[in-house]
Amino acid sequence: SQTIHQWPATLVQPVGSPLSLECTVEGTSNPNLYWYRQAAGRGLQLLFYSVGIGQISSEVPQNLSASRPQDRQFILSSKKLLLSDSGFYLCAWGSVGNQPQHFGDGTRLSIL
Amino acid sequence: AQSVTQLDSHVSVSEGTPVLLRCNYSSSYSPSLFWYVQHPNKGLQLLLKYTSAATLVKGINGFEAEFKKSETSFHLTKPSAHMSDAAEYFCVVSDPYKAAGNKLTFGGGTRVLVKP
């Protein structure tokens, strides 16, 4: 069966520090991969998605970037974090067609 | 363009009573529809999915939803609420033939409170 792993579960970072969140998927090949952010009291915002290795589509211009160095690995990064980057970050994978996406357990990011 | 409207931002029910979460969608094609549940500080868990098969869809934990094309609705119900149902619920639409990368469109969420 397919599983998705996200880490760390929680992270506290100072303003201006770098960020790297990692997500890996097991049990499937060539998945679509997604990064979402959920701010407090708000819905989910799609940040990036990828349909293949090295292919990244950005949905919202911002301080973050994403990379997909391997088929089942998706990384969310920032060179300098802002206070507004605080939130709950979710990674998800999906397949082609009309199938749902499957989510990781999320990373709670707090910026001080 | 796709859109999803969850008609109630908060729903409060007593344990053992029915739960109804309302969702209306807009899509230019025959969409796929999903309901997800999110417990605090957790990821989203798929409750059920409609993908153009039977219009009454049964999901996990006793939930079910009915797809009504004429009303463009996909309401989620459960006959008897349990304390563990307290969470946030998201109605989601997918239009894979229109949205690049199979992107999903999320409703704003409904937070369910279950009173003992």
Side-chain angles (χ1 to χ4, degrees), chain A residues 32 34 36 38 46 49 59 88 95-101 103-105 108, chain B residues 32 34 36 38 41-44 46 49 51 90 96 100-104 106:
Chain A
N32 291 343
Y34 307 85
Y36 292 86
Q38 191 175 27
L46 179 63
Y49 70 92
E59 290 293 294
F88 192 52
S95 52
V96 298
N98 57 0
Q99 297 304 312
Q101 292 176 15
F103 289 80
D105 284 337
R108 173 74 58 191
Chain B
S32 295
F34 314 106
Y36 287 86
Q38 185 180 30
N41 291 310
K42 293 291 186 182
L44 277 70
L46 181 68
K49 63 180 180 180
T51 55
F90 292 95
N102 282 11
K103 291 181 286 185
L104 303 179
F106 289 79

PDB file of all heavy atoms in Angstrom, chain A residues 32 34 36 38 46 49 59 88 95-101 103-105 108, chain B residues 32 34 36 38 41-44 46 49 51 90 96 100-104 106:
ATOM      1  N   ASN A  32       1.826  12.488  -8.832  1.00  0.00           N
ATOM      2  CA  ASN A  32       1.785  13.944  -8.736  1.00  0.00           C
ATOM      3  C   ASN A  32       2.024  14.284  -7.264  1.00  0.00           C
ATOM      4  O   ASN A  32       1.497  13.613  -6.366  1.00  0.00           O
ATOM      5  CB  ASN A  32       0.426  14.487  -9.178  1.00  0.00           C
ATOM      6  CG  ASN A  32       0.190  14.323 -10.664  1.00  0.00           C
ATOM      7  OD1 ASN A  32       1.115  14.097 -11.442  1.00  0.00           O
ATOM      8  ND2 ASN A  32      -1.061  14.435 -11.076  1.00  0.00           N
ATOM      9  N   TYR A  34       2.271  17.489  -4.221  1.00  0.00           N
ATOM     10  CA  TYR A  34       1.707  18.806  -3.924  1.00  0.00           C
ATOM     11  C   TYR A  34       2.201  19.301  -2.560  1.00  0.00           C
ATOM     12  O   TYR A  34       2.333  18.521  -1.610  1.00  0.00           O
ATOM     13  CB  TYR A  34       0.165  18.728  -3.874  1.00  0.00           C
ATOM     14  CG  TYR A  34      -0.472  18.107  -5.086  1.00  0.00           C
ATOM     15  CD1 TYR A  34      -0.608  16.721  -5.173  1.00  0.00           C
ATOM     16  CD2 TYR A  34      -0.945  18.884  -6.143  1.00  0.00           C
ATOM     17  CE1 TYR A  34      -1.185  16.132  -6.291  1.00  0.00           C
ATOM     18  CE2 TYR A  34      -1.524  18.302  -7.260  1.00  0.00           C
ATOM     19  CZ  TYR A  34      -1.644  16.926  -7.327  1.00  0.00           C
ATOM     20  OH  TYR A  34      -2.221  16.350  -8.437  1.00  0.00           O
ATOM     21  N   TYR A  36       0.867  22.193   0.224  1.00  0.00           N
ATOM     22  CA  TYR A  36      -0.183  23.112   0.616  1.00  0.00           C
ATOM     23  C   TYR A  36       0.234  23.835   1.900  1.00  0.00           C
ATOM     24  O   TYR A  36       1.000  23.317   2.698  1.00  0.00           O
ATOM     25  CB  TYR A  36      -1.490  22.375   0.939  1.00  0.00           C
ATOM     26  CG  TYR A  36      -2.172  21.716  -0.219  1.00  0.00           C
ATOM     27  CD1 TYR A  36      -1.825  20.417  -0.614  1.00  0.00           C
ATOM     28  CD2 TYR A  36      -3.197  22.355  -0.910  1.00  0.00           C
ATOM     29  CE1 TYR A  36      -2.484  19.797  -1.667  1.00  0.00           C
ATOM     30  CE2 TYR A  36      -3.864  21.738  -1.962  1.00  0.00           C
ATOM     31  CZ  TYR A  36      -3.494  20.462  -2.326  1.00  0.00           C
ATOM     32  OH  TYR A  36      -4.151  19.840  -3.367  1.00  0.00           O
ATOM     33  N   GLN A  38      -1.740  25.815   5.239  1.00  0.00           N
ATOM     34  CA  GLN A  38      -2.998  26.089   5.905  1.00  0.00           C
ATOM     35  C   GLN A  38      -2.708  27.076   7.026  1.00  0.00           C
ATOM     36  O   GLN A  38      -2.102  26.709   8.032  1.00  0.00           O
ATOM     37  CB  GLN A  38      -3.589  24.786   6.452  1.00  0.00           C
ATOM     38  CG  GLN A  38      -5.003  24.882   6.933  1.00  0.00           C
ATOM     39  CD  GLN A  38      -5.535  23.518   7.331  1.00  0.00           C
ATOM     40  OE1 GLN A  38      -4.792  22.622   7.718  1.00  0.00           O
ATOM     41  NE2 GLN A  38      -6.846  23.336   7.235  1.00  0.00           N
ATOM     42  N   LEU A  46      -2.892  25.902  -2.196  1.00  0.00           N
ATOM     43  CA  LEU A  46      -1.900  25.141  -2.950  1.00  0.00           C
ATOM     44  C   LEU A  46      -0.708  26.039  -3.249  1.00  0.00           C
ATOM     45  O   LEU A  46      -0.871  27.135  -3.805  1.00  0.00           O
ATOM     46  CB  LEU A  46      -2.511  24.612  -4.250  1.00  0.00           C
ATOM     47  CG  LEU A  46      -1.578  23.821  -5.157  1.00  0.00           C
ATOM     48  CD1 LEU A  46      -1.098  22.547  -4.471  1.00  0.00           C
ATOM     49  CD2 LEU A  46      -2.268  23.499  -6.478  1.00  0.00           C
ATOM     50  N   TYR A  49       2.998  22.277  -7.192  1.00  0.00           N
ATOM     51  CA  TYR A  49       2.733  20.903  -7.544  1.00  0.00           C
ATOM     52  C   TYR A  49       3.752  20.464  -8.582  1.00  0.00           C
ATOM     53  O   TYR A  49       4.375  21.287  -9.266  1.00  0.00           O
ATOM     54  CB  TYR A  49       1.298  20.678  -8.021  1.00  0.00           C
ATOM     55  CG  TYR A  49       0.948  21.269  -9.370  1.00  0.00           C
ATOM     56  CD1 TYR A  49       1.074  20.526 -10.534  1.00  0.00           C
ATOM     57  CD2 TYR A  49       0.439  22.556  -9.460  1.00  0.00           C
ATOM     58  CE1 TYR A  49       0.721  21.060 -11.764  1.00  0.00           C
ATOM     59  CE2 TYR A  49       0.092  23.099 -10.675  1.00  0.00           C
ATOM     60  CZ  TYR A  49       0.232  22.349 -11.831  1.00  0.00           C
ATOM     61  OH  TYR A  49      -0.122  22.883 -13.045  1.00  0.00           O
ATOM     62  N   GLU A  59       2.050  28.032  -7.695  1.00  0.00           N
ATOM     63  CA  GLU A  59       0.704  28.584  -7.726  1.00  0.00           C
ATOM     64  C   GLU A  59       0.637  30.000  -7.179  1.00  0.00           C
ATOM     65  O   GLU A  59      -0.221  30.779  -7.574  1.00  0.00           O
ATOM     66  CB  GLU A  59      -0.246  27.691  -6.915  1.00  0.00           C
ATOM     67  CG  GLU A  59      -0.516  26.357  -7.561  1.00  0.00           C
ATOM     68  CD  GLU A  59      -1.301  26.521  -8.856  1.00  0.00           C
ATOM     69  OE1 GLU A  59      -2.469  26.949  -8.803  1.00  0.00           O
ATOM     70  OE2 GLU A  59      -0.734  26.215  -9.931  1.00  0.00           O
ATOM     71  N   PHE A  88       0.626  25.677   8.798  1.00  0.00           N
ATOM     72  CA  PHE A  88       0.635  24.218   8.787  1.00  0.00           C
ATOM     73  C   PHE A  88       0.837  23.794   7.346  1.00  0.00           C
ATOM     74  O   PHE A  88       0.034  24.118   6.476  1.00  0.00           O
ATOM     75  CB  PHE A  88      -0.709  23.714   9.349  1.00  0.00           C
ATOM     76  CG  PHE A  88      -0.748  22.254   9.667  1.00  0.00           C
ATOM     77  CD1 PHE A  88       0.216  21.666  10.473  1.00  0.00           C
ATOM     78  CD2 PHE A  88      -1.767  21.452   9.185  1.00  0.00           C
ATOM     79  CE1 PHE A  88       0.175  20.323  10.787  1.00  0.00           C
ATOM     80  CE2 PHE A  88      -1.825  20.097   9.498  1.00  0.00           C
ATOM     81  CZ  PHE A  88      -0.851  19.527  10.298  1.00  0.00           C
ATOM     82  N   SER A  95      -2.643  10.546  -8.217  1.00  0.00           N
ATOM     83  CA  SER A  95      -2.378   9.913  -9.502  1.00  0.00           C
ATOM     84  C   SER A  95      -3.222  10.616 -10.569  1.00  0.00           C
ATOM     85  O   SER A  95      -4.044  11.478 -10.249  1.00  0.00           O
ATOM     86  CB  SER A  95      -2.705   8.427  -9.437  1.00  0.00           C
ATOM     87  OG  SER A  95      -4.009   8.225  -8.939  1.00  0.00           O
ATOM     88  N   VAL A  96      -3.022  10.240 -11.804  1.00  0.00           N
ATOM     89  CA  VAL A  96      -3.758  10.886 -12.889  1.00  0.00           C
ATOM     90  C   VAL A  96      -5.212  10.442 -12.863  1.00  0.00           C
ATOM     91  O   VAL A  96      -5.562   9.449 -12.243  1.00  0.00           O
ATOM     92  CB  VAL A  96      -3.124  10.558 -14.257  1.00  0.00           C
ATOM     93  CG1 VAL A  96      -1.710  11.091 -14.313  1.00  0.00           C
ATOM     94  CG2 VAL A  96      -3.139   9.050 -14.504  1.00  0.00           C
ATOM     95  N   GLY A  97      -6.057  11.211 -13.520  1.00  0.00           N
ATOM     96  CA  GLY A  97      -7.462  10.854 -13.580  1.00  0.00           C
ATOM     97  C   GLY A  97      -8.229  11.413 -12.406  1.00  0.00           C
ATOM     98  O   GLY A  97      -7.803  12.352 -11.744  1.00  0.00           O
ATOM     99  N   ASN A  98      -9.362  10.812 -12.107  1.00  0.00           N
ATOM    100  CA  ASN A  98     -10.281  11.387 -11.133  1.00  0.00           C
ATOM    101  C   ASN A  98     -10.135  10.763  -9.752  1.00  0.00           C
ATOM    102  O   ASN A  98     -11.104  10.458  -9.082  1.00  0.00           O
ATOM    103  CB  ASN A  98     -11.717  11.228 -11.636  1.00  0.00           C
ATOM    104  CG  ASN A  98     -12.061   9.773 -11.919  1.00  0.00           C
ATOM    105  OD1 ASN A  98     -11.219   8.886 -11.744  1.00  0.00           O
ATOM    106  ND2 ASN A  98     -13.283   9.524 -12.326  1.00  0.00           N
ATOM    107  N   GLN A  99      -8.925  10.577  -9.331  1.00  0.00           N
ATOM    108  CA  GLN A  99      -8.658   9.995  -8.025  1.00  0.00           C
ATOM    109  C   GLN A  99      -8.319  11.065  -7.001  1.00  0.00           C
ATOM    110  O   GLN A  99      -7.824  12.140  -7.349  1.00  0.00           O
ATOM    111  CB  GLN A  99      -7.507   8.983  -8.134  1.00  0.00           C
ATOM    112  CG  GLN A  99      -7.820   7.802  -9.032  1.00  0.00           C
ATOM    113  CD  GLN A  99      -9.074   7.082  -8.586  1.00  0.00           C
ATOM    114  OE1 GLN A  99      -9.244   6.767  -7.405  1.00  0.00           O
ATOM    115  NE2 GLN A  99      -9.975   6.823  -9.524  1.00  0.00           N
ATOM    116  N   PRO A 100      -8.571  10.791  -5.734  1.00  0.00           N
ATOM    117  CA  PRO A 100      -8.286  11.799  -4.704  1.00  0.00           C
ATOM    118  C   PRO A 100      -6.796  11.912  -4.426  1.00  0.00           C
ATOM    119  O   PRO A 100      -6.001  11.071  -4.836  1.00  0.00           O
ATOM    120  CB  PRO A 100      -9.015  11.238  -3.478  1.00  0.00           C
ATOM    121  CG  PRO A 100      -9.005   9.761  -3.697  1.00  0.00           C
ATOM    122  CD  PRO A 100      -9.169   9.576  -5.184  1.00  0.00           C
ATOM    123  N   GLN A 101      -6.440  12.971  -3.714  1.00  0.00           N
ATOM    124  CA  GLN A 101      -5.090  13.116  -3.218  1.00  0.00           C
ATOM    125  C   GLN A 101      -5.020  12.539  -1.799  1.00  0.00           C
ATOM    126  O   GLN A 101      -6.025  12.468  -1.093  1.00  0.00           O
ATOM    127  CB  GLN A 101      -4.674  14.587  -3.217  1.00  0.00           C
ATOM    128  CG  GLN A 101      -4.530  15.164  -4.619  1.00  0.00           C
ATOM    129  CD  GLN A 101      -4.222  16.640  -4.615  1.00  0.00           C
ATOM    130  OE1 GLN A 101      -3.832  17.217  -3.599  1.00  0.00           O
ATOM    131  NE2 GLN A 101      -4.380  17.266  -5.772  1.00  0.00           N
ATOM    132  N   PHE A 103      -2.850  12.754   1.856  1.00  0.00           N
ATOM    133  CA  PHE A 103      -2.083  13.759   2.575  1.00  0.00           C
ATOM    134  C   PHE A 103      -1.178  13.155   3.646  1.00  0.00           C
ATOM    135  O   PHE A 103      -1.509  12.148   4.281  1.00  0.00           O
ATOM    136  CB  PHE A 103      -3.031  14.758   3.245  1.00  0.00           C
ATOM    137  CG  PHE A 103      -3.718  15.669   2.266  1.00  0.00           C
ATOM    138  CD1 PHE A 103      -4.816  15.240   1.544  1.00  0.00           C
ATOM    139  CD2 PHE A 103      -3.261  16.964   2.074  1.00  0.00           C
ATOM    140  CE1 PHE A 103      -5.436  16.082   0.625  1.00  0.00           C
ATOM    141  CE2 PHE A 103      -3.882  17.815   1.171  1.00  0.00           C
ATOM    142  CZ  PHE A 103      -4.968  17.373   0.447  1.00  0.00           C
ATOM    143  N   GLY A 104      -0.044  13.823   3.855  1.00  0.00           N
ATOM    144  CA  GLY A 104       0.802  13.522   4.990  1.00  0.00           C
ATOM    145  C   GLY A 104       0.231  14.129   6.260  1.00  0.00           C
ATOM    146  O   GLY A 104      -0.810  14.802   6.235  1.00  0.00           O
ATOM    147  N   ASP A 105       0.940  13.919   7.367  1.00  0.00           N
ATOM    148  CA  ASP A 105       0.454  14.394   8.662  1.00  0.00           C
ATOM    149  C   ASP A 105       0.760  15.864   8.918  1.00  0.00           C
ATOM    150  O   ASP A 105       0.317  16.416   9.924  1.00  0.00           O
ATOM    151  CB  ASP A 105       1.053  13.548   9.785  1.00  0.00           C
ATOM    152  CG  ASP A 105       0.380  12.189   9.887  1.00  0.00           C
ATOM    153  OD1 ASP A 105      -0.770  12.070   9.420  1.00  0.00           O
ATOM    154  OD2 ASP A 105       0.999  11.251  10.420  1.00  0.00           O
ATOM    155  N   ARG A 108       3.921  21.670  11.446  1.00  0.00           N
ATOM    156  CA  ARG A 108       3.518  22.943  12.054  1.00  0.00           C
ATOM    157  C   ARG A 108       4.759  23.820  12.134  1.00  0.00           C
ATOM    158  O   ARG A 108       5.689  23.508  12.858  1.00  0.00           O
ATOM    159  CB  ARG A 108       2.938  22.694  13.438  1.00  0.00           C
ATOM    160  CG  ARG A 108       2.645  23.968  14.241  1.00  0.00           C
ATOM    161  CD  ARG A 108       1.446  24.694  13.735  1.00  0.00           C
ATOM    162  NE  ARG A 108       0.235  23.871  13.746  1.00  0.00           N
ATOM    163  CZ  ARG A 108      -0.899  24.207  13.163  1.00  0.00           C
ATOM    164  NH1 ARG A 108      -0.988  25.354  12.510  1.00  0.00           N
ATOM    165  NH2 ARG A 108      -1.947  23.420  13.217  1.00  0.00           N
TER     166      ARG A 108
ATOM    167  N   SER B  32     -15.237  14.974 -10.185  1.00  0.00           N
ATOM    168  CA  SER B  32     -15.131  14.039  -9.073  1.00  0.00           C
ATOM    169  C   SER B  32     -15.241  14.865  -7.798  1.00  0.00           C
ATOM    170  O   SER B  32     -14.765  15.994  -7.746  1.00  0.00           O
ATOM    171  CB  SER B  32     -13.797  13.297  -9.107  1.00  0.00           C
ATOM    172  OG  SER B  32     -13.715  12.484 -10.249  1.00  0.00           O
ATOM    173  N   PHE B  34     -15.078  14.821  -3.391  1.00  0.00           N
ATOM    174  CA  PHE B  34     -14.540  14.131  -2.227  1.00  0.00           C
ATOM    175  C   PHE B  34     -14.930  14.875  -0.958  1.00  0.00           C
ATOM    176  O   PHE B  34     -15.138  16.095  -0.971  1.00  0.00           O
ATOM    177  CB  PHE B  34     -13.008  14.061  -2.283  1.00  0.00           C
ATOM    178  CG  PHE B  34     -12.445  13.650  -3.615  1.00  0.00           C
ATOM    179  CD1 PHE B  34     -11.830  14.586  -4.440  1.00  0.00           C
ATOM    180  CD2 PHE B  34     -12.527  12.340  -4.043  1.00  0.00           C
ATOM    181  CE1 PHE B  34     -11.310  14.220  -5.668  1.00  0.00           C
ATOM    182  CE2 PHE B  34     -12.014  11.969  -5.273  1.00  0.00           C
ATOM    183  CZ  PHE B  34     -11.395  12.911  -6.083  1.00  0.00           C
ATOM    184  N   TYR B  36     -13.153  15.194   2.889  1.00  0.00           N
ATOM    185  CA  TYR B  36     -12.017  14.897   3.753  1.00  0.00           C
ATOM    186  C   TYR B  36     -12.345  15.366   5.168  1.00  0.00           C
ATOM    187  O   TYR B  36     -13.083  16.336   5.364  1.00  0.00           O
ATOM    188  CB  TYR B  36     -10.768  15.644   3.295  1.00  0.00           C
ATOM    189  CG  TYR B  36     -10.104  15.143   2.043  1.00  0.00           C
ATOM    190  CD1 TYR B  36     -10.508  15.567   0.784  1.00  0.00           C
ATOM    191  CD2 TYR B  36      -9.026  14.251   2.114  1.00  0.00           C
ATOM    192  CE1 TYR B  36      -9.870  15.126  -0.363  1.00  0.00           C
ATOM    193  CE2 TYR B  36      -8.381  13.806   0.973  1.00  0.00           C
ATOM    194  CZ  TYR B  36      -8.806  14.247  -0.261  1.00  0.00           C
ATOM    195  OH  TYR B  36      -8.161  13.807  -1.398  1.00  0.00           O
ATOM    196  N   GLN B  38     -10.344  16.498   8.874  1.00  0.00           N
ATOM    197  CA  GLN B  38      -9.062  16.893   9.462  1.00  0.00           C
ATOM    198  C   GLN B  38      -9.237  17.073  10.959  1.00  0.00           C
ATOM    199  O   GLN B  38      -9.957  17.965  11.410  1.00  0.00           O
ATOM    200  CB  GLN B  38      -8.542  18.187   8.842  1.00  0.00           C
ATOM    201  CG  GLN B  38      -7.154  18.573   9.341  1.00  0.00           C
ATOM    202  CD  GLN B  38      -6.637  19.859   8.739  1.00  0.00           C
ATOM    203  OE1 GLN B  38      -7.407  20.760   8.394  1.00  0.00           O
ATOM    204  NE2 GLN B  38      -5.325  19.964   8.590  1.00  0.00           N
ATOM    205  N   ASN B  41      -4.231  19.421  14.147  1.00  0.00           N
ATOM    206  CA  ASN B  41      -2.802  19.168  13.905  1.00  0.00           C
ATOM    207  C   ASN B  41      -2.537  17.856  13.174  1.00  0.00           C
ATOM    208  O   ASN B  41      -1.489  17.219  13.392  1.00  0.00           O
ATOM    209  CB  ASN B  41      -2.018  19.200  15.216  1.00  0.00           C
ATOM    210  CG  ASN B  41      -1.971  20.601  15.790  1.00  0.00           C
ATOM    211  OD1 ASN B  41      -1.639  21.556  15.093  1.00  0.00           O
ATOM    212  ND2 ASN B  41      -2.353  20.733  17.047  1.00  0.00           N
ATOM    213  N   LYS B  42      -3.463  17.478  12.349  1.00  0.00           N
ATOM    214  CA  LYS B  42      -3.303  16.273  11.533  1.00  0.00           C
ATOM    215  C   LYS B  42      -3.516  16.604  10.064  1.00  0.00           C
ATOM    216  O   LYS B  42      -4.040  17.662   9.720  1.00  0.00           O
ATOM    217  CB  LYS B  42      -4.321  15.202  11.958  1.00  0.00           C
ATOM    218  CG  LYS B  42      -4.081  14.640  13.347  1.00  0.00           C
ATOM    219  CD  LYS B  42      -2.819  13.799  13.386  1.00  0.00           C
ATOM    220  CE  LYS B  42      -2.663  13.125  14.735  1.00  0.00           C
ATOM    221  NZ  LYS B  42      -1.411  12.331  14.801  1.00  0.00           N
ATOM    222  N   GLY B  43      -3.103  15.677   9.204  1.00  0.00           N
ATOM    223  CA  GLY B  43      -3.370  15.837   7.793  1.00  0.00           C
ATOM    224  C   GLY B  43      -4.824  15.550   7.467  1.00  0.00           C
ATOM    225  O   GLY B  43      -5.633  15.244   8.347  1.00  0.00           O
ATOM    226  N   LEU B  44      -5.170  15.656   6.194  1.00  0.00           N
ATOM    227  CA  LEU B  44      -6.533  15.387   5.753  1.00  0.00           C
ATOM    228  C   LEU B  44      -6.683  13.904   5.439  1.00  0.00           C
ATOM    229  O   LEU B  44      -5.858  13.318   4.746  1.00  0.00           O
ATOM    230  CB  LEU B  44      -6.867  16.207   4.511  1.00  0.00           C
ATOM    231  CG  LEU B  44      -7.308  17.651   4.748  1.00  0.00           C
ATOM    232  CD1 LEU B  44      -6.158  18.516   5.230  1.00  0.00           C
ATOM    233  CD2 LEU B  44      -7.918  18.232   3.479  1.00  0.00           C
ATOM    234  N   LEU B  46      -9.192  11.006   3.752  1.00  0.00           N
ATOM    235  CA  LEU B  46     -10.301  10.853   2.825  1.00  0.00           C
ATOM    236  C   LEU B  46     -11.440  10.088   3.485  1.00  0.00           C
ATOM    237  O   LEU B  46     -11.247   8.986   3.989  1.00  0.00           O
ATOM    238  CB  LEU B  46      -9.823  10.108   1.578  1.00  0.00           C
ATOM    239  CG  LEU B  46     -10.857   9.874   0.495  1.00  0.00           C
ATOM    240  CD1 LEU B  46     -11.257  11.207  -0.158  1.00  0.00           C
ATOM    241  CD2 LEU B  46     -10.324   8.917  -0.565  1.00  0.00           C
ATOM    242  N   LYS B  49     -15.507   9.240  -1.742  1.00  0.00           N
ATOM    243  CA  LYS B  49     -15.311   9.869  -3.036  1.00  0.00           C
ATOM    244  C   LYS B  49     -16.434   9.498  -3.990  1.00  0.00           C
ATOM    245  O   LYS B  49     -16.977   8.393  -3.940  1.00  0.00           O
ATOM    246  CB  LYS B  49     -13.964   9.445  -3.639  1.00  0.00           C
ATOM    247  CG  LYS B  49     -13.846   7.953  -3.917  1.00  0.00           C
ATOM    248  CD  LYS B  49     -12.480   7.629  -4.519  1.00  0.00           C
ATOM    249  CE  LYS B  49     -12.362   6.136  -4.810  1.00  0.00           C
ATOM    250  NZ  LYS B  49     -11.043   5.773  -5.399  1.00  0.00           N
ATOM    251  N   THR B  51     -17.026   9.361  -8.079  1.00  0.00           N
ATOM    252  CA  THR B  51     -16.320   9.449  -9.357  1.00  0.00           C
ATOM    253  C   THR B  51     -17.190   8.932 -10.479  1.00  0.00           C
ATOM    254  O   THR B  51     -16.777   8.109 -11.279  1.00  0.00           O
ATOM    255  CB  THR B  51     -15.001   8.666  -9.303  1.00  0.00           C
ATOM    256  OG1 THR B  51     -15.282   7.313  -8.904  1.00  0.00           O
ATOM    257  CG2 THR B  51     -14.029   9.272  -8.326  1.00  0.00           C
ATOM    258  N   PHE B  90     -13.863  18.996   4.889  1.00  0.00           N
ATOM    259  CA  PHE B  90     -13.676  19.739   3.645  1.00  0.00           C
ATOM    260  C   PHE B  90     -14.343  19.009   2.493  1.00  0.00           C
ATOM    261  O   PHE B  90     -14.113  17.809   2.291  1.00  0.00           O
ATOM    262  CB  PHE B  90     -12.184  19.910   3.330  1.00  0.00           C
ATOM    263  CG  PHE B  90     -11.459  20.810   4.288  1.00  0.00           C
ATOM    264  CD1 PHE B  90     -10.777  20.276   5.372  1.00  0.00           C
ATOM    265  CD2 PHE B  90     -11.460  22.177   4.101  1.00  0.00           C
ATOM    266  CE1 PHE B  90     -10.107  21.103   6.268  1.00  0.00           C
ATOM    267  CE2 PHE B  90     -10.789  23.013   4.987  1.00  0.00           C
ATOM    268  CZ  PHE B  90     -10.115  22.472   6.076  1.00  0.00           C
ATOM    269  N   PRO B  96     -10.316  16.670 -13.525  1.00  0.00           N
ATOM    270  CA  PRO B  96      -9.008  16.331 -14.087  1.00  0.00           C
ATOM    271  C   PRO B  96      -8.842  16.694 -15.548  1.00  0.00           C
ATOM    272  O   PRO B  96      -7.733  16.778 -16.047  1.00  0.00           O
ATOM    273  CB  PRO B  96      -8.913  14.826 -13.871  1.00  0.00           C
ATOM    274  CG  PRO B  96     -10.323  14.372 -13.753  1.00  0.00           C
ATOM    275  CD  PRO B  96     -11.065  15.497 -13.103  1.00  0.00           C
ATOM    276  N   ALA B 100      -4.913  21.496 -14.706  1.00  0.00           N
ATOM    277  CA  ALA B 100      -3.581  20.932 -14.904  1.00  0.00           C
ATOM    278  C   ALA B 100      -3.053  20.360 -13.604  1.00  0.00           C
ATOM    279  O   ALA B 100      -3.266  20.934 -12.541  1.00  0.00           O
ATOM    280  CB  ALA B 100      -2.640  22.029 -15.414  1.00  0.00           C
ATOM    281  N   GLY B 101      -2.377  19.218 -13.710  1.00  0.00           N
ATOM    282  CA  GLY B 101      -1.801  18.614 -12.519  1.00  0.00           C
ATOM    283  C   GLY B 101      -2.827  18.008 -11.585  1.00  0.00           C
ATOM    284  O   GLY B 101      -2.527  17.706 -10.445  1.00  0.00           O
ATOM    285  N   ASN B 102      -4.052  17.802 -12.068  1.00  0.00           N
ATOM    286  CA  ASN B 102      -5.122  17.237 -11.236  1.00  0.00           C
ATOM    287  C   ASN B 102      -5.312  18.022  -9.947  1.00  0.00           C
ATOM    288  O   ASN B 102      -5.488  17.457  -8.871  1.00  0.00           O
ATOM    289  CB  ASN B 102      -4.833  15.772 -10.905  1.00  0.00           C
ATOM    290  CG  ASN B 102      -5.162  14.866 -12.063  1.00  0.00           C
ATOM    291  OD1 ASN B 102      -5.405  15.323 -13.168  1.00  0.00           O
ATOM    292  ND2 ASN B 102      -5.183  13.581 -11.801  1.00  0.00           N
ATOM    293  N   LYS B 103      -5.274  19.339 -10.051  1.00  0.00           N
ATOM    294  CA  LYS B 103      -5.419  20.155  -8.863  1.00  0.00           C
ATOM    295  C   LYS B 103      -6.829  20.053  -8.304  1.00  0.00           C
ATOM    296  O   LYS B 103      -7.800  19.904  -9.029  1.00  0.00           O
ATOM    297  CB  LYS B 103      -5.083  21.613  -9.180  1.00  0.00           C
ATOM    298  CG  LYS B 103      -3.603  21.850  -9.469  1.00  0.00           C
ATOM    299  CD  LYS B 103      -3.323  23.289  -9.742  1.00  0.00           C
ATOM    300  CE  LYS B 103      -3.824  23.686 -11.105  1.00  0.00           C
ATOM    301  NZ  LYS B 103      -3.457  25.087 -11.440  1.00  0.00           N
ATOM    302  N   LEU B 104      -6.913  20.153  -6.987  1.00  0.00           N
ATOM    303  CA  LEU B 104      -8.192  20.107  -6.302  1.00  0.00           C
ATOM    304  C   LEU B 104      -8.653  21.518  -5.951  1.00  0.00           C
ATOM    305  O   LEU B 104      -7.841  22.417  -5.737  1.00  0.00           O
ATOM    306  CB  LEU B 104      -8.080  19.289  -5.011  1.00  0.00           C
ATOM    307  CG  LEU B 104      -7.588  17.852  -5.136  1.00  0.00           C
ATOM    308  CD1 LEU B 104      -7.525  17.204  -3.757  1.00  0.00           C
ATOM    309  CD2 LEU B 104      -8.490  17.064  -6.060  1.00  0.00           C
ATOM    310  N   PHE B 106     -10.865  23.292  -2.971  1.00  0.00           N
ATOM    311  CA  PHE B 106     -11.363  23.015  -1.630  1.00  0.00           C
ATOM    312  C   PHE B 106     -12.457  23.999  -1.246  1.00  0.00           C
ATOM    313  O   PHE B 106     -12.374  25.200  -1.552  1.00  0.00           O
ATOM    314  CB  PHE B 106     -10.239  23.134  -0.604  1.00  0.00           C
ATOM    315  CG  PHE B 106      -9.235  22.029  -0.670  1.00  0.00           C
ATOM    316  CD1 PHE B 106      -8.245  22.026  -1.626  1.00  0.00           C
ATOM    317  CD2 PHE B 106      -9.295  20.967   0.227  1.00  0.00           C
ATOM    318  CE1 PHE B 106      -7.321  20.990  -1.700  1.00  0.00           C
ATOM    319  CE2 PHE B 106      -8.375  19.936   0.161  1.00  0.00           C
ATOM    320  CZ  PHE B 106      -7.385  19.945  -0.809  1.00  0.00           C
TER     321      PHE B 106
END
